[in-house]
Amino acid sequence: MRAEPDPRPAHEEEQGNQARDEQGPAPATSQSIVYLAPALRDALDSARKRDRRTNADLVFDAIDRAQYQLPELIRRQQRLDRPPNSLFSARPSRTRQRATTPAERTVPFSFRATADELSVIDRLVEETNASSRSSLVAAAVEATFGRGARRKR
């Protein structure tokens, strides 16, 4: 049994290999750690396993989906609530309040990102007045994967 010759000229195959080589290696990534509520991290872990996606995919999708809501989500996140019978109204706070219950504590969640991807997140932190990458990512993840988020994805 004789193999049929490849109908493509040899230079086409070389050009395909050269095009792959010209793209170069994948961009370098670094690990970024953000702090989330344990329930959010659990929701992301479940989504990662269910959908076979990376942590970075989940974080970037959450930011993409929530991008137009981010300023309001960050504003709500930074409100310092006052007791219902207080004479004073709530006011913005850029500092994180100390966790008083286990449910309010945060846990680390890591994802890998390129310098360009981190630049986008940092720009959004600046634009929304978020206190950190963690607060921005937490707001986006909560809106996308949190309890009140729509289950349609």
Side-chain angles (χ1 to χ4, degrees), residues 11 22 26-28 37 43 47 71 80 111 121 127 131:
H11 71 276
E22 287 175 3
L80 179 60
F111 64 97
I121 293 172
E127 288 174 2
S131 58

Side-chain angles (χ1 to χ4, degrees), residues 33-36 77 121 125 130-140:
I33 298 174
V34 296
Y35 293 87
L36 305 173
Q77 186 186 61
I121 293 172
V125 166
S131 58
S132 64
R133 285 180 187 164
S134 287
S135 64
L136 182 108
V137 170

Side-chain angles (χ1 to χ4, degrees), residues 26-30 56 60 111-121 133:
T29 61
S30 61
F60 300 151
F111 64 97
R112 298 198 66 79
T114 65
D116 288 344
E117 291 162 340
L118 291 175
S119 292
V120 170
I121 293 172
R133 285 180 187 164

Side-chain angles (χ1 to χ4, degrees), residues 19-33:
R20 279 190 297 273
D21 292 341
E22 287 175 3
Q23 290 174 343
T29 61
S30 61
Q31 184 172 351
S32 186
I33 298 174

Side-chain angles (χ1 to χ4, degrees), residues 36-37 39-40 44 62 66 73 77 136-150:
L36 305 173
L40 280 179
L44 288 173
L73 294 171
Q77 186 186 61
L136 182 108
V137 170
V141 167
E142 174 67 36
T144 306
F145 295 99
R147 277 185 173 197
R150 284 188 216 157

